[in-house]
Amino acid sequence: MGYAILGLLKKELLALLKDKKSRFVLIGPPIIQLLVFGYAATFDLNRVPIAIYNEDAGEASRELIARFAGARAFREAGRITRQAEIAQFINPKKALLVLHIGQEFSRDLSNHRPASIQLIIDGRNSNTALVALNYAQTIVADFNRSRAEEQRLPRPAACLEIRAWFNPNLASRWFIVPGIIGLLTLVVTMLVTALSVAREREQGTFDQLLVTPFTPLEILIGKALPGILIGLVESSFIILMAVYWFRVPFVGEIGALYLGIVLFLTATVGIGLMISSLATTQQQGLLGAFLFIVPSIILSGFATPIANMPEAVQTLTLLNPLRYFLVIVRGVMLEGLPMSLLVDQYWPMAVIGLTALALAGWLFRRRLY
Amino acid sequence: MTMSARHVPLSGPSARRLRLLGLIRKEFLQIRRDPSSIAIAFLLPLVLLILFGYGVSLDAKHVRVGLVAEKPGPETSDFLSAFEHSEYFQPILFTDQRAAREALARRQVSAIVRLRSDFARLALSGQSAPIQGIVDGVDANTARLVSGYMQGVWTQWLQRQGDQRAEESTQAVEMRQRIWFNPAVRSRDYLVPGLIAVIMTLIGALLTAMVVAREWDRGTLEALVATPVSVGEVLIGKLVPYYLLGMGGMALSMVMALYLFDVPLRGSLWVLLLTGTLFLLAALGMGLLISIVSQNQFVAGQVAIITTFLPAFILSGFIFDIGSMPPAVQAFTYLIAARYFVAILQTVFLAGNLWGVIVPNALALAAMAAVFLALAWRRMPRRLG
C-alpha cells in the first residue's frame, strides 16, 4: 500500500508543479507578499503629515512645535495662517492633523495659567486618528514634564510609568509579521487544495481515480500530503525570512512552533479538500476558497483583536484554525510560550483537521453527479 | 433555413448587434447553469459585510486589566474605581504583584496597574507616589490604546484630587482634540466603506477570472475563434453580464452600509455609483486579464486568490495607513485599484463630495480600467497556435 500511495503522491505533486505558471504562483507571490506586507502592515505611524497653525509668537510654542516636528511619527506638511486653511489641508489629505496654538499660549504659560492647544485630526480612518492622538498626547505630556522639571514645580501626587512587556518599543511589526506567516501559509494551502478535486471532477478524471484499487483513505492521503508538504516548506521559508530579514525575535522552542504548523496545515488542508470535494466546478471551488479565506483572516485576530468582537462572533472564531495558529506563532516567537501552555491551541486544530479530512473523504464518493 | 441565412448579413452594424446580443445571452445562460456567479455577486457581499460589519472593531472595549493594590485603602480604591466604571476596562483585582504578573503571562489580563503599599502615604504627604503600569505589548496597537486610556484615568484622578500644584506640572499645556468626519471615532464607520472596496475587488475578479480560462479548458475557445465575432465583441459579451451582476452586488453592499450599519453618507449616491462603475470595470478587467493569461482555470483560480484579497486588504489603506509605509511599498500601492476606491469611499461616506479627493482617484481608476481592458484585448487569442 505504501508504494502505491507514493505513486499517487507523485502524480499529485506533478499535477501541481508541472505547469510553469502554477509553479511560479506557488513560490513567487508568497515571498513577494511577505516582503511587501511585512513593511506595509503596521499600525505605527511614520512621518504622518502635520500642518502647524501657530498664532503665538513666544518661545514656548516654538519649542512645542519643534517637539512635534522632530517626532518620528510626524513630518511637517506646511504652515497655516488662517482658520479657513485647516480644511484645505485636511480635506485633500495633505495633512492628517493640524496643530493649532492660539495667541495666548505663551502668555498663559508664563502666568501659570493652563495654556490650551487644539489638535484637529482627520477621522476618516478612526484608528489612525486615535493613534495619532495618542502620539500627540505623549509629546504634550513630555513637554509638560520637562517644563515642570526646568521650573522646579512640585511633583504631582502620583506619577504614572507605563512599561510594555514582550515588545518594549510597541513596534507593531513584531505583532504583524508573525501574523503574516499564518496568512500566507493559509493562502498557499488553499491554492494547493481548494481547486484540486474540483479540477478532476470537472475534467472527469476523478471518476477514473475512484474506480482504481485505491481506497478513499489512500486517495485522501494522496490529496492531502502535497498540501502539507508544500505548506511546510513555504512556512519554514517564511519563518526564516521573518527572523533573519525582519528581525522578529524568536525566543521559544522550534518544536512547539512546528507542532502548531503541522496541526494548522492539517486543518487548512482538510478544509480546502472539503471545499474542493463539495464543488462540481472550479468556479465553485474558487468561491468556496474565498468564502473560507476571507472570514478566517478577518476573524483571526490578525489585525483586529478578537476580544473587541461581539460574543456571537467570538464564538464563531472558535471554528477558525488561524485563530489558534496566530496565538501559537506569536506566543512562541515573541513570548517563548512552552508547549504545555499551548495545549488549548493545539487540540482544537487537531479536531478541526480530522473532522474536515473525514468529511472530505466521505464527500469523494457521495458527490458523484 | 437558406432564406434566413440570406437575411442575416455577416457584417454591418445590425449583424454586430445581433452577434453581441447572442454572446451576452450565451454568457447569461452559463451563469444560470452554474449559479455560483450569482452567489459571488450577492451571497459574498451579504456574508462578508455582516460578518465584518458586526465582527471587526478596533475600538478596545472591556480590556481585562489587573488592578494590584498592595495595601488597599480609601486612596487606592478611589484611584482604581475609575477603572471599574470605565467601559473600556474589565478590572480583575489582585493583592500582590506576582499573581498579576502571572495572569499577564497567561494572557488572562492585557494590562496591570499596580499601586505599591506606600501609595497612600506618599500621595498624602505631598510626595509623588509611583504608579506602575504594565501593558502586554504583543498587540502593539491595543497596547497603545490601553496606555492612552490609563493616562486619561491618571490625569482625571489628579484633577479630582484638586491638587493645584500638580495641575500645573502635569497640565500646563492641555490639549483639546477635534476629530473631523468621525467625532465619535466609531471604527465601523470607516471599516464598512473600506470593506465595500475589498469585497468588490473579490467579486470583480471572481466573476471574470474563470470565464475565458473555462473556454480554454473546455475547448470552446476554438469554436469561438472560428466564428466571425471579433475580439472586442467577445470581451464586451463577457463584460456586460458580469458588470450587471457586479453592480447589483455593489448596490446591495451600499444599501447594507447605509441601513444595516448606519454609516452616514455625507456625499452623494451618484458619485458612489459612478466611481463604483469605474472601479468595477478595473476589477473585471483584471479578472479577464488573469483569465486570458492563465489559459486554464486552475492557474487562473490560484492567481485570483493571490492577487486580490490580501493586496486589497493590506495595501489599500482600508486598515493600514498608506502614508506610514516605506516609500518603496507606497509606490507598490499605486498598482492596487482598491487603494483609489477606498479613498473615494471613505471620503464620500464620511466627509462629503470633496472633489480634490474624488477626481484624481476616479481618474486613476479610469486609467487602470483602460489599461486592464486594453491588455485583455491585446492578449486575447485571435487564433490558436
Side-chain angles (χ1 to χ4, degrees):
Chain A
M1 159 181 163
Y3 192 70
I5 285 196
L6 272 186
L8 197 59
L9 189 63
K10 192 173 152 202
K11 172 227 145 204
E12 290 295 335
L13 281 172
L14 267 179
L16 279 170
L17 300 175
K18 179 194 62 183
D19 185 344
K20 203 173 86 189
K21 285 180 192 140
S22 183
R23 203 160 58 215
F24 173 75
V25 166
L26 280 181
I27 297 165
I31 294 167
I32 299 170
Q33 295 198 332
L34 175 68
L35 280 177
V36 175
F37 297 163
Y39 286 111
T42 169
F43 287 116
D44 308 343
L45 296 187
N46 190 12
R47 296 179 48 74
V48 167
I50 181 171
I52 310 286
Y53 176 20
N54 185 12
E55 296 181 296
D56 181 79
E59 176 73 26
S61 62
R62 275 202 300 264
E63 197 200 318
L64 185 65
I65 289 167
R67 281 177 182 258
F68 271 90
R72 209 169 55 91
F74 300 120
R75 128 181 98 81
E76 198 183 309
R79 297 262 170 167
I80 291 176
T81 49
R82 286 180 297 120
Q83 187 80 21
E85 281 179 287
I86 296 177
Q88 289 168 17
F89 271 84
I90 298 264
N91 285 352
K93 299 193 170 190
K94 262 160 65 187
L96 180 79
L97 57 172
V98 173
L99 173 66
H100 180 195
I101 302 177
Q103 294 167 358
E104 314 284 303
F105 181 78
S106 291
R107 199 184 319 151
D108 281 341
L109 260 189
S110 50
N111 291 342
H112 299 276
R113 278 199 305 255
S116 70
I117 57 173
Q118 199 186 30
L119 200 65
I120 299 112
I121 312 177
D122 178 357
R124 268 171 278 186
N125 181 330
S126 66
N127 190 58
T128 308
L130 279 181
V131 175
L133 176 62
N134 227 308
Y135 280 116
Q137 275 165 345
T138 313
I139 291 174
V140 171
D142 284 348
F143 177 84
N144 284 336
R145 192 176 314 130
S146 56
R147 187 177 165 280
E149 272 165 25
E150 268 168 35
Q151 312 227 338
R152 300 177 185 284
L153 294 173
R155 301 180 64 199
C159 54
L160 175 71
E161 257 174 56
I162 299 176
R163 273 186 305 143
W165 273 16
F166 309 121
N167 183 2
N169 298 323
L170 290 184
S172 62
R173 179 159 300 149
W174 286 11
F175 180 67
I176 297 282
V177 170
I180 293 176
I181 299 173
L183 258 55
L184 291 178
T185 309
L186 171 73
V187 168
V188 167
T189 49
M190 281 294 131
L191 291 182
V192 176
T193 54
L195 298 176
S196 74
V197 181
R199 169 163 67 174
E200 297 216 37
R201 280 252 159 81
E202 202 174 319
Q203 295 175 345
T205 53
F206 202 67
D207 294 350
Q208 292 170 11
L209 199 62
L210 286 177
V211 296
T212 57
F214 287 120
T215 64
L217 181 67
E218 287 169 322
I219 297 176
L220 185 67
I221 295 175
K223 287 270 173 205
L225 265 185
I228 295 180
L229 285 179
I230 293 177
L232 263 179
V233 173
E234 293 234 10
S235 56
S236 305
F237 188 76
I238 296 171
I239 289 167
L240 283 177
M241 277 183 66
V243 173
Y244 289 102
W245 181 275
F246 285 106
R247 302 270 160 205
V248 178
F250 193 117
V251 293
E253 315 154 24
I254 295 221
L257 181 59
Y258 268 83
L259 179 59
I261 292 181
V262 170
L263 290 174
F264 177 60
L265 288 171
T266 313
T268 52
V269 163
I271 293 172
L273 285 179
M274 202 174 83
I275 291 169
S276 195
S277 3
L278 265 173
T280 45
T281 61
Q282 293 180 69
Q283 167 105 34
Q284 291 172 4
L286 187 63
L287 172 63
F290 271 105
L291 277 176
F292 174 65
I293 291 179
V294 180
S296 355
I297 288 178
I298 302 270
L299 302 180
S300 65
F302 162 69
T304 59
I306 292 180
N308 293 357
M309 297 170 190
E311 289 292 323
V313 181
Q314 287 197 34
T315 314
L316 197 66
T317 65
L318 296 177
L319 292 172
N320 180 3
L322 188 59
R323 171 210 159 114
Y324 305 104
F325 185 61
L326 288 188
V327 175
I328 295 174
V329 192
R330 288 170 177 156
V332 172
M333 290 183 77
L334 304 179
E335 296 166 56
L337 291 188
M339 249 184 233
S340 54
L341 280 183
L342 291 170
V343 174
D344 284 348
Q345 316 296 329
Y346 292 134
W347 71 260
M349 288 198 294
V351 171
I352 295 169
L354 292 179
T355 315
L357 281 173
L359 270 173
W362 184 78
L363 284 167
F364 281 171
R365 280 194 177 278
R366 296 305 183 286
R367 198 64 197 243
L368 273 180
Y369 59 84
Chain B
M1 300 306 122
T2 47
M3 290 281 283
S4 63
R6 222 177 36 215
H7 284 294
V8 179
L10 285 170
S11 57
S14 62
R16 204 171 302 137
R17 204 178 65 221
L18 205 64
R19 286 200 300 262
L20 210 53
L21 284 178
L23 281 171
I24 293 174
R25 185 159 167 263
K26 174 215 130 203
E27 208 62 41
F28 268 121
L29 283 177
Q30 271 188 317
I31 292 172
R32 218 174 60 190
R33 207 181 295 159
D34 180 357
S36 56
S37 298
I38 299 172
I40 288 170
F42 297 103
L43 189 68
L44 205 66
L46 201 71
V47 171
L48 296 185
L49 265 178
I50 288 182
L51 218 49
F52 302 160
Y54 288 118
V56 175
S57 164
L58 284 161
D59 313 330
K61 279 210 177 115
H62 310 297
V63 175
R64 277 171 302 181
V65 54
L67 304 179
V68 187
E70 290 182 350
K71 196 172 155 197
E75 286 75 24
T76 60
S77 56
D78 180 44
F79 184 87
L80 297 177
S81 70
F83 288 95
E84 277 150 27
H85 296 134
S86 159
E87 60 168 335
Y88 299 121
F89 296 108
Q90 190 182 317
I92 298 167
L93 293 167
F94 293 93
T95 46
D96 72 309
Q97 175 74 349
R98 202 146 46 107
R101 280 168 172 260
E102 235 161 67
L104 186 70
R106 286 173 176 272
R107 332 198 101 222
Q108 284 154 353
V109 296
S110 359
I112 298 176
V113 176
R114 175 196 184 197
L115 304 179
R116 289 193 341 210
S117 52
D118 52 5
F119 178 80
R121 187 175 57 81
L122 290 175
L124 290 179
S125 66
Q127 282 165 295
S128 192
I131 303 164
Q132 195 185 19
I134 300 176
V135 291
D136 178 353
V138 171
D139 178 353
N141 195 47
T142 305
R144 212 177 281 121
L145 296 177
V146 170
S147 50
Y149 295 144
M150 275 188 187
Q151 242 144 14
V153 168
W154 168 64
T155 38
Q156 276 169 19
W157 180 78
L158 284 177
Q159 279 169 359
R160 266 209 318 274
Q161 294 293 302
D163 186 347
Q164 281 298 315
R165 292 161 310 171
E167 191 167 298
E168 210 203 322
S169 57
T170 59
Q171 301 253 276
V173 175
E174 58 174 348
M175 192 170 66
R176 301 214 175 97
Q177 65 267 9
R178 273 171 47 210
I179 299 185
W180 280 14
F181 310 129
N182 189 358
V185 270
R186 283 209 318 165
S187 60
R188 187 192 277 174
D189 282 359
Y190 87 92
L191 288 175
V192 168
L195 265 172
I196 296 179
V198 174
I199 291 171
M200 292 316 298
T201 306
L202 300 188
I203 293 177
L206 278 178
L207 285 177
T208 45
M210 295 302 209
V211 292
V212 182
R214 186 165 56 204
E215 309 233 11
W216 278 108
D217 270 357
R218 294 181 183 165
T220 48
L221 201 68
E222 298 185 28
L224 207 58
V225 171
T227 61
V229 294
S230 70
V231 169
E233 284 165 358
V234 172
L235 286 184
I236 294 174
K238 297 266 179 212
L239 219 48
V240 170
Y242 296 107
Y243 169 75
L244 293 176
L245 272 184
M247 280 314 271
M250 172 115 55
L252 176 69
S253 309
M254 288 179 180
V255 167
M256 284 174 71
L258 291 176
Y259 296 104
L260 196 59
F261 297 115
D262 294 322
V263 179
L265 176 62
R266 308 215 165 91
S268 31
L269 197 61
W270 66 267
V271 175
L272 285 184
L273 291 176
L274 211 65
T275 51
T277 289
L278 292 176
F279 177 70
L280 189 61
L281 284 177
L284 291 171
M286 185 171 121
L288 271 179
L289 185 64
I290 291 173
S291 197
I292 291 168
V293 174
S294 301
Q295 300 193 354
N296 71 61
Q297 291 184 83
F298 193 70
V299 175
Q302 290 184 323
V303 175
I305 293 177
I306 286 256
T307 54
T308 53
F309 172 57
L310 282 182
F313 178 52
I314 293 180
L315 300 177
S316 65
F318 153 60
I319 191 160
F320 299 109
D321 179 49
I322 293 181
S324 294
M325 298 174 189
V329 175
Q330 281 193 38
F332 208 88
T333 63
Y334 288 108
L335 300 174
I336 311 291
R339 173 209 158 118
Y340 308 107
F341 197 40
V342 166
I344 293 176
L345 284 169
Q346 287 182 349
T347 299
V348 175
F349 268 103
L350 296 177
N353 291 344
L354 304 179
W355 301 109
V357 176
I358 295 168
V359 173
N361 284 299
L363 286 177
L365 284 179
M368 287 200 83
V371 168
F372 278 131
L373 291 173
L375 280 176
W377 184 77
R378 271 194 51 186
R379 297 294 298 266
M380 185 75 182
R382 275 135 178 99
R383 73 183 96 196
L384 296 155

